[in-house]
């Protein structure tokens, strides 16, 4: 693992946004996938709240997850991968400004580069599901102010996510985004956008980087990076793409082993032992052991 002692995770995230238009950010469901994403050439990665809920806890994304659940996954990822990590903190894990502050301070301490915090009520839903409920604009602005005020590192990125489009319409979403930037947010994440041109409106209204959440099977079409660049999008997020593929692959393997009494028919869908060792740098660890114990002889 390479260490950047001269820059913070937040600064590395800002640099990545500046260096790639738009910046592709992929979801990594665990530390192993963080390493795979880095190997594939991505400059930043993401930890999804829905991913922590479904992947680590096996529960729906309905506000069941707590701060410590997310921090556990954050720490495991940042321990082995130096790519800047954007983390979904839902509504901030608690109803008071102090909850939001605790969340921000903890994320910085555990090595995250950025967070996005949303304007849904505490009993939140997936952003691409019906019947979402949002808090008032004032309450959302207060969340942002609390987050910004709690920063122990000015480079740490605070992104405002608004779910207002599906609930109150475009004008309300634009207004909220602008109010959040005014309150100190660095970037904006308008959720469940349905048309490409809408991103352009957000970009011109808030004069800050806009994130497009290109999640599969949701409300947003699977726009390409070229299309999104033309709509002034700065960051393209693929929150759960690898997770969905991994789940389908696991199901297929379990089904086959149970059905066939052997894994022979699905062996070609598996990562090999040598591939795994290569991806997690097994041999470097082994050589370190050999060197340590050789010195004692």
């Amino acid at each position: 693992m390479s260490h950047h002692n001269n820059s913070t995770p937040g600064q590395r995230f800002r640099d990545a946004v500046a260096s790639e238009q738009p910046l592709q950010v992929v979801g990594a469901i665990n530390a192993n996938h963080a390493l795979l994403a880095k190997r594939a050439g991505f400059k930043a990665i993401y930890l999804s709240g829905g991913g922590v809920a479904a992947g680590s806890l096996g529960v729906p994304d309905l506000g069941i997850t707590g701060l410590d659940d997310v921090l556990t996954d954050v720490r495991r990822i940042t321990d082995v991968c130096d790519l800047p990590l954007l983390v979904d903190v839902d509504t901030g894990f608690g109803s008071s400004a102090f909850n939001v502050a605790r969340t921000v301070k903890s994320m910085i301490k555990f090595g995250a580069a950025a967070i996005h915090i949303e304007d849904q009520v505490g009993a939140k839903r997936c952003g691409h599901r019906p019947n979402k409920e949002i808090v008032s604009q004032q309450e959302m602005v207060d969340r942002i102010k609390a987050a910004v005020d709690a920063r122990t590192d000015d480079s740490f990125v605070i992104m405002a996510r608004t779910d207002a489009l599906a609930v109150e319409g475009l004008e309300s979403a634009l207004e909220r985004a602008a109010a959040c930037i005014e309150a100190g947010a660095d970037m904006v994440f308008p959720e469940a956008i349905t048309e490409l041109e809408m991103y352009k409106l957000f970009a011109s209204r808030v004069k800050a980087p806009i994130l497009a959440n290109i999640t599969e099977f949701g409300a947003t079409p699977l726009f390409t990076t070229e299309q999104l660049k033309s709509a002034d999008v700065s960051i393209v997020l693929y929150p759960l793409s690898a997770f969905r593929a991994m789940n389908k692959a696991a199901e297929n393997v379990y089904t086959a082993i149970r059905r066939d009494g052997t894994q022979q028919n699905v062996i070609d869908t598996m990562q090999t032992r040598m591939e795994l060792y290569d991806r997690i740098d097994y041999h470097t660890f082994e050589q370190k052991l050999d060197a340590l114990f050789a010195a004692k002889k």
Side-chain angles (χ1 to χ4, degrees):
M1 170 178 168
S2 55
H3 290 277
H4 302 262
N5 296 325
N6 56 346
S7 70
T8 62
Q11 191 54 52
R12 296 207 298 278
F13 187 80
R14 291 171 190 265
D15 292 347
V17 172
S19 71
E20 189 180 312
Q21 281 95 30
L23 176 70
Q24 287 186 304
V25 181
V26 285
I29 201 67
N30 54 36
N32 184 299
H33 281 207
L35 295 174
L36 295 179
K38 180 170 182 177
R39 185 186 174 93
F42 290 96
K43 300 282 184 278
I45 51 176
Y46 177 67
L47 183 61
S48 152
V52 172
S56 295
L57 304 182
V59 299
D61 183 20
L62 294 170
I64 301 167
T65 312
L67 174 60
D68 286 339
D69 296 314
V70 180
L71 286 174
T72 295
D73 286 347
V74 168
R75 190 197 70 234
R76 287 172 172 171
I77 290 168
T78 58
D79 275 353
V80 298
C81 184
D82 60 0
L83 286 183
L85 176 67
L86 167 63
V87 182
D88 176 2
V89 301
D90 291 344
T91 62
F93 302 114
S95 50
S96 84
F98 301 112
N99 292 121
V100 173
R102 180 174 179 235
T103 294
V104 169
K105 285 180 162 64
S106 301
M107 288 294 157
I108 293 171
K109 185 175 179 181
F110 281 63
I115 57 165
H116 67 74
I117 187 164
E118 69 199 32
D119 57 1
Q120 286 201 55
V121 295
K124 66 149 295 175
R125 291 170 184 260
C126 165
H128 290 254
R129 296 292 299 160
N131 305 322
K132 294 191 291 186
E133 272 187 65
I134 55 177
V135 297
S136 69
Q137 182 173 309
Q138 186 55 54
E139 191 171 336
M140 178 54 178
V141 164
D142 288 346
R143 280 178 189 172
I144 297 297
K145 283 181 175 165
V148 170
D149 181 61
R151 269 199 292 220
T152 49
D153 160 24
D154 287 340
S155 69
F156 184 75
V157 174
I158 290 165
M159 187 183 286
R161 167 175 144 175
T162 178
D163 285 77
L165 178 68
V167 185
E168 292 181 354
L170 181 61
E171 189 49 44
S172 168
L174 288 165
E175 238 175 70
R176 280 172 182 248
C180 288
I181 292 293
E182 205 173 309
D186 302 296
M187 304 179 186
V188 168
F189 172 171
E191 177 62 303
I193 294 291
T194 53
E195 292 164 42
L196 193 61
E197 285 304 303
M198 288 180 180
Y199 291 117
K200 224 173 199 155
L201 292 172
F202 278 95
S204 66
R205 179 76 70 97
V206 303
K207 305 281 187 284
I210 303 299
L211 178 145
N213 182 18
I214 307 302
T215 190
E216 303 83 12
F217 317 111
T220 308
L222 302 183
F223 299 120
T224 66
T225 47
E226 269 180 29
Q227 288 174 303
L228 291 162
K229 184 175 184 165
S230 75
D232 303 329
V233 165
S234 295
I235 305 166
V236 190
L237 180 64
Y238 310 87
L240 292 164
S241 309
F243 179 59
R244 296 187 209 282
M246 153 197 193
N247 291 345
K248 193 74 167 180
E251 276 198 25
N252 290 340
V253 167
Y254 290 142
T255 304
I257 292 174
R258 190 70 179 148
R259 180 191 62 220
D260 304 336
T262 175
Q263 69 274 63
Q264 287 169 22
N265 299 322
V266 285
I267 203 96
D268 61 333
T269 68
M270 296 185 196
Q271 182 188 51
T272 67
R273 179 185 300 266
M274 289 318 290
E275 283 169 339
L276 173 64
Y277 285 179
D278 179 50
R279 305 313 187 256
I280 58 173
D281 209 12
Y282 180 93
H283 298 290
T284 304
F285 283 82
E286 207 169 51
Q287 284 156 13
K288 170 104 178 165
L289 270 187
D290 293 343
L292 273 175
F293 295 125
K296 290 182 179 173
K297 284 174 187 161

